[in-house]
Amino acid sequence: MRTFITGALITLAALTSLATTPAAAQAATSNTAAAECNTSSKSQTNDGITVRVFFTNNGTDCYVYRVQALSAQGRKYGHFNLFGPNGWSVDSPTKWWEWGEHFAASRWTIAWPGHLWCGRFYNGDNQQVTRNVCVTV
């Protein structure tokens, strides 16, 4: 009988630890992301556009607070599309974009490791003319 009770207690302890593991793992991932969140921005340039992501550490998490795209090569007519995790997407106005001119969107969300924050450019006929240019925080 003692062996049965001991076995039951060990099984119960194992099941309890399995139930709390995902929350503990998420907290560990969040704290890791915050610990590595030590710069204010990251950027990537390709196909004549630059995408830059601005982020900050609030002590427990790393937050993306702004995403921008800019013309890194010449003058372009069309619009930028910025997009990121969980279906977030925003378009700039369609217009002539001068070299260095940027479009920015505010976004205050936790930056989980591996999330991609991207931008692309569409011409005046709404045809995508650049590849997706992405940054991960």
Side-chain angles (χ1 to χ4, degrees):
M1 183 68 148
R2 181 179 286 183
T3 304
F4 175 75
I5 292 173
T6 303
L9 289 174
I10 291 171
T11 302
L12 182 59
L15 289 174
T16 302
S17 71
L18 287 175
T20 58
T21 298
Q26 184 175 1
T29 301
S30 178
N31 290 336
T32 300
E36 295 172 357
C37 184
N38 56 8
T39 59
S40 61
S41 69
K42 283 176 110 175
S43 62
Q44 181 68 39
T45 301
N46 203 343
D47 283 350
I49 67 169
T50 297
V51 173
R52 183 172 293 131
V53 178
F54 296 86
F55 49 93
T56 189
N57 184 334
N58 76 347
T60 56
D61 292 309
C62 186
Y63 281 89
V64 167
Y65 64 89
R66 184 177 176 161
V67 180
Q68 78 177 25
L70 60 97
S71 174
Q73 184 180 44
R75 191 171 188 233
K76 297 172 179 32
Y77 182 77
H79 72 274
F80 291 102
N81 170 246
L82 299 174
F83 60 99
N86 305 315
W88 176 74
S89 179
V90 63
D91 289 326
S92 73
T94 299
K95 64 177 212 149
W96 280 103
W97 293 90
E98 303 298 331
W99 178 86
E101 185 178 5
H102 72 271
F103 169 71
S106 297
R107 181 74 179 151
W108 194 256
T109 190
I110 293 177
W112 295 103
H115 274 176
L116 292 175
W117 301 88
C118 305
R120 54 191 166 203
F121 192 81
Y122 289 82
N123 65 17
D125 294 326
N126 208 31
Q127 300 297 313
Q128 185 175 339
V129 294
T130 65
R131 292 176 275 188
N132 295 341
V133 179
C134 298
V135 176
T136 185
V137 175

